[in-house]
Amino acid sequence: MKPSERRKARRLATQAIYQWQMTKDNVADIAQQFALEQDTKGVDLDYFRDLLFGVSVHATELDAVFSPYLSRPLAELDVVDKAVLRLATYELTRREDVPYRVVINEAIELAKAFAAEESHKFVNGVLDKVVKQLKK
């Protein structure tokens, strides 16, 4: 496993999670569509699938983990921010093989790439609180 392959998997997964949140399409169909239509060279596809399916299956549980630290109701959260927070919270709670600092850094980079201008600061603040709660 190369870090760059995981980074690319996270980028694709964020886009796929966003699509799933917007369309409510079948996750397996979205995964297949991404595999066919996106450039998957150098992507850890197993990790991509784990993130996409894991987030979709556990979305309610993941939302419950980070929602207490939001400055607004979950329903008002930007869809991209929600995708990034769900993905990162999935990694923090289900992927013990990934150090929390890596998860937070990757989430910040995803927010910088896909979300509104200051979203990375918001994502960082929420995830810092999530990590503190999980370490208790």
Side-chain angles (χ1 to χ4, degrees):
M1 184 278 305
K2 294 180 182 175
S4 64
E5 292 174 351
R6 285 251 172 117
R7 180 170 292 122
K8 290 176 183 175
R10 285 183 189 95
R11 286 181 68 91
L12 273 187
T14 300
Q15 293 170 301
I17 292 164
Y18 173 85
Q19 181 174 328
W20 168 71
Q21 292 175 157
M22 294 298 291
T23 66
K24 302 294 185 216
D25 287 347
N26 182 291
V27 177
D29 293 342
I30 293 171
Q32 183 177 14
Q33 174 194 347
F34 269 70
L36 294 172
E37 296 177 7
Q38 299 292 324
D39 179 10
T40 57
K41 183 176 182 186
V43 174
D44 183 338
L45 289 174
D46 289 336
Y47 203 68
F48 162 77
R49 284 187 204 86
D50 180 53
L51 295 173
L52 175 58
F53 285 94
V55 166
S56 68
V57 168
H58 300 287
T60 303
E61 178 185 319
L62 299 171
D63 292 351
V65 172
F66 68 78
S67 291
Y69 310 111
L70 299 177
S71 56
R72 54 191 165 275
L74 181 64
E76 295 176 16
L77 189 61
D78 178 80
V79 183
V80 176
D81 291 343
K82 188 185 292 184
V84 171
L85 286 171
R86 283 176 165 172
L87 184 147
T89 304
Y90 176 79
E91 285 190 290
L92 289 170
T93 58
R94 302 281 175 158
R95 295 298 307 221
E96 294 177 10
D97 59 315
V98 183
Y100 77 90
R101 285 187 173 94
V102 171
V103 173
I104 292 175
N105 185 56
E106 291 290 320
I108 290 168
E109 293 305 314
L110 289 168
K112 286 179 180 178
F114 297 117
E117 191 170 321
E118 296 295 315
S119 284
H120 67 281
K121 294 176 185 176
F122 170 73
V123 165
N124 184 33
V126 172
L127 292 177
D128 280 342
K129 292 172 186 162
V130 168
V131 166
K132 286 177 185 163
Q133 179 61 36
L134 292 174
K135 286 186 165 193
K136 282 185 177 181

